[in-house]
């Protein structure tokens, strides 16, 4: 890299740093969801220039945010999104397959979340699980108080309370799976937005698979089978936290199969060129109507073997 290229790279890093500071301030103070896109400019910078500039930019950005807001906010943003941005840019530069990029970055972001949770617990003395359980209990108490005004009997109220307690226990038990799924969602959104921006500015070799072409690798079912057998062995011998492990593994596998089944549904709805309003209604029902979940997951499971769409994993 010659002097002019270095000057351009430094100037671009400066612009990216300023942009991400504004983006983070909007996300932290106005629209929370915007903060999830905080890594996008760093990913683009790391791909276009060099990962070193991306790392430098996110360090400076986090440092400035630490001054503007508070020190811990800057540190947590750096720990949460720094590794994700760097790994993303590195894998894109290596032209790795999309499923590999998504898998690795999901794991990286999940580990970053765990580090931030543990660190915040150590610094502030907050037990994340207990804090979440307390928040859920408070939210359900509000719902319970609203239901009391409906004139239900004490027996009916006790049944509803018991059901709510079961839901809270289930949500706490499946928290690891929920965090993994959330990590996958965040990495895909960043991958998608980064890919769109990079293609718009001339990098046509960026391939972000559209949702309707999503498909697990051909050996994924074998991997899932091995995981289930291992989990069953843990459950059979009642090794540490076997019920929680089994529950989380089942949750994640069913979710992946559901996503693949939903992508098959989107593919064929697009293929028959169905009305967009009807398509939207079908997809919304598939997501919110509980009996449809197992059906859609079953479609995903069968597609793993049959490959209805003849999609090649990229």
């Amino acid at each position: 890299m010659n002097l002019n290229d270095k000057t351009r790279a430094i100037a671009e890093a400066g612009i990216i740093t300023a942009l991400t500071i504004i983006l983070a301030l909007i996300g932290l103070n106005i629209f929370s969801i915007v903060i999830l896109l905080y890594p996008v400019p760093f990913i683009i910078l790391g791909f276009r220039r060099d990962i070193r500039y991306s790392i430098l930019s996110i360090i400076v950005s986090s440092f400035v945010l630490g001054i503007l807001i508070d020190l811990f906010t800057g540190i947590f943003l750096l720990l949460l999104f720094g590794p994700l941005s760097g790994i993303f840019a590195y894998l894109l530069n290596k032209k790795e397959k999309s499923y590999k990029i998504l898998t690795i970055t999901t794991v990286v972001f999940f580990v970053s979340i765990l580090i931030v949770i543990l660190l915040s617990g150590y610094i502030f003395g907050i037990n994340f699980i207990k804090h979440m359980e307390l928040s859920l209990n408070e939210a359900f108490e509000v719902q319970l108080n609203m239901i009391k005004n409906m004139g239900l009997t004490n027996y009916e109220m006790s049944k509803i309370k018991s059901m709510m307690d079961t839901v809270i226990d289930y949500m706490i038990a499946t928290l690891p799976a929920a965090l993994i799924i959330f990590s996958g969602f965040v990495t895909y959104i960043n991958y998608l937005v980064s890919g769109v921006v990079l293609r718009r500015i001339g990098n046509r070799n960026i391939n972000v698979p559209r949702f309707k072409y999503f498909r697990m690798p051909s050996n994924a079912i074998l991997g899932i089978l091995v995981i289930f057998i291992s989990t069953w062995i843990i459950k059979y011998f009642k090794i540490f936290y076997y019920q929680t492990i089994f529950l989380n593994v089942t949750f994640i596998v069913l979710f992946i199969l559901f996503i693949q089944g939903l992508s098959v549904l989107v593919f064929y709805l697009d293929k028959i060129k169905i009305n967009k309003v009807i398509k939207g209604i079908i997809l919304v029902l598939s997501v919110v109507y509980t009996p449809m979940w197992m059906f859609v997951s079953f479609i995903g499971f069968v597609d793993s073997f049959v490959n209805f769409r003849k999609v090649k994993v990229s």
Side-chain angles (χ1 to χ4, degrees):
M1 183 181 289
N2 58 40
L3 184 60
N4 287 335
D5 287 337
K6 285 183 179 180
T7 303
R8 292 194 195 97
I10 292 170
E12 193 169 324
I15 295 170
I16 291 295
T17 302
L19 176 64
T20 52
I21 291 169
I22 296 170
L23 188 69
L25 290 173
I26 293 172
L28 293 170
N29 296 295
I30 304 174
F31 301 111
S32 299
I33 196 168
V34 173
I35 198 65
L36 299 181
L37 298 177
Y38 183 62
V40 169
F42 304 119
I43 295 169
I44 294 169
L45 177 64
F47 180 80
R48 281 173 49 82
R49 297 300 177 182
D50 192 278
I51 296 174
R52 292 174 299 173
Y53 294 101
S54 178
I55 294 171
L56 177 63
S57 181
I58 195 168
I59 290 173
V60 174
S61 176
S62 302
F63 177 76
V64 174
L65 287 167
I67 295 173
L68 294 176
I69 304 173
D70 65 71
L71 176 63
F72 294 115
T73 298
I75 292 172
F76 291 154
L77 284 174
L78 178 61
L79 292 175
L80 196 59
F81 296 115
L84 177 65
S85 305
I87 295 295
F88 237 127
Y90 174 79
L91 293 172
L92 286 175
N93 279 313
K94 288 289 183 181
K95 296 180 173 57
E96 295 288 356
K97 290 185 176 181
S98 57
Y99 79 88
K100 186 175 181 180
I101 293 174
L102 285 171
T103 302
I104 293 174
T105 51
T106 296
V107 172
V108 168
F109 190 60
F110 175 67
V111 172
S112 295
I113 291 174
L114 293 182
I115 290 171
V116 168
I117 289 173
L118 292 172
L119 186 61
S120 60
Y122 177 76
I123 294 172
F124 301 113
I126 299 172
N127 187 308
F128 181 76
I129 301 296
K130 288 183 179 179
H131 179 72
M132 182 178 175
E133 190 173 0
L134 181 62
S135 299
L136 288 172
N137 275 312
E138 288 176 353
F140 278 117
E141 278 296 328
V142 173
Q143 296 295 322
L144 206 59
N145 290 330
M146 292 174 63
I147 294 172
K148 282 180 182 177
N149 299 324
M150 296 172 62
L152 299 178
T153 64
N154 290 334
Y155 174 76
E156 289 172 328
M157 287 299 298
S158 66
K159 291 290 288 184
I160 292 172
K161 180 69 167 61
S162 177
M163 183 186 69
M164 287 183 172
D165 289 339
T166 302
V167 171
I168 291 173
D169 290 340
Y170 179 80
M171 291 177 71
I172 295 298
T174 56
L175 183 59
L179 287 177
I180 291 172
I181 291 169
F182 173 72
S183 300
F185 169 76
V186 171
T187 53
Y188 179 75
I189 292 298
N190 277 276
Y191 191 10
L192 182 64
V193 175
S194 299
V196 169
V197 174
L198 285 168
R199 287 177 67 84
R200 286 287 179 89
I201 59 180
N203 299 97
R204 298 292 176 183
N205 57 340
I206 298 295
N207 176 37
V208 183
R210 296 172 65 184
F211 177 75
K212 66 180 180 179
Y213 296 119
F214 169 78
R215 188 173 188 273
M216 293 183 292
S218 55
N219 58 354
I221 291 296
L222 178 60
I224 288 171
L225 184 61
V226 170
I227 292 170
F228 259 119
I229 292 172
S230 303
T231 308
W232 182 84
I233 292 171
I234 291 172
K235 183 180 179 183
Y236 181 80
F237 289 103
K238 296 184 178 180
I239 305 173
F240 56 96
Y241 302 112
Y242 63 93
Q243 290 181 327
T244 303
I245 293 172
F246 185 79
L247 190 62
N248 279 274
V249 169
T250 303
F251 187 13
I252 292 170
V253 170
L254 287 176
F255 179 78
I256 294 172
L257 292 175
F258 175 79
I259 291 297
Q260 180 154 323
L262 199 63
S263 69
V264 173
L265 190 60
V266 172
F267 178 87
Y268 281 105
L269 289 175
D270 285 348
K271 189 173 183 179
I272 63 176
K273 297 179 180 178
I274 196 168
N275 181 277
K276 290 184 177 180
V277 175
I278 298 174
K279 174 187 172 183
I281 292 171
I282 293 172
L283 293 178
V284 168
L285 287 175
S286 299
V287 173
V288 302
Y289 187 50
T290 309
M292 285 288 291
W293 294 354
M294 291 306 296
F295 175 70
V296 174
S297 298
F298 179 73
I299 292 174
F301 177 75
V302 175
D303 183 64
S304 302
F305 294 99
V306 180
N307 193 3
F308 296 117
R309 299 161 291 170
K310 306 302 178 187
V311 174
K312 292 182 179 179
V313 178
S314 59

